[in-house]
Amino acid sequence: MFRRLALLTVGVVTTAFTACQGQQFPMVPVEGVVLKDGKPLDNVKVEFHPDRESGVVGPRSIGLTDASGRFRLQTDAGDDGAVVGTHRVILVDVDYLERTAPIPADHPIKLKHKDKGPLVKRIKDDCSEYYRTPLRQEAKKPNSTVTIEIK
């Protein structure tokens, strides 16, 4: 009787421990560049969302482009890369958002892009929405370098 109870307890603890660790997904390092009409876009958030319609599941991965339009992806949990497979790509123009954000004058955050010239929306709305984005990218082993070109 005691032996059965001990085995049952070990089984429950093992199952709980495994469930708490979460599901593991095959990941691959992903880096790349975002271009508009052949020129790099800085300050753009790049989001890779696994395309469930293609059978890919897992966490999203995000990155922010630098001055040369380059980015490197990480999951929200801080893991490098993206899940292997097809992704819907969402682009968010952080520069545009920062310049249009209603921030009070006495707020401690000073936006670095406020005096950058005329306000121009660099990314079309459809590229910023999961169900509308025409952008798809494949994350493949052993690693992926991608170019995302928009017009």
Side-chain angles (χ1 to χ4, degrees), residues 35-57:
L35 304 172
K36 180 172 182 175
D37 299 324
K39 296 179 182 171
L41 282 180
D42 69 327
N43 210 23
V44 171
K45 182 170 71 166
V46 179
E47 298 181 12
F48 271 42
H49 292 263
D51 188 0
R52 292 180 185 268
E53 290 179 6
S54 299
V56 182
V57 295

Side-chain angles (χ1 to χ4, degrees), residues 25-30 50 55-57 82-87 138-141:
F25 300 97
M27 302 289 288
V28 62
V30 177
V56 182
V57 295
V83 174
V84 172
T86 304
H87 295 262
E138 187 80 18
K140 302 181 222 177
K141 289 185 177 183

Side-chain angles (χ1 to χ4, degrees), residues 7-23:
L7 287 173
L8 179 62
T9 302
V10 169
V12 168
V13 170
T14 302
T15 302
F17 180 72
T18 304
C20 289
Q21 284 186 328
Q23 188 173 1

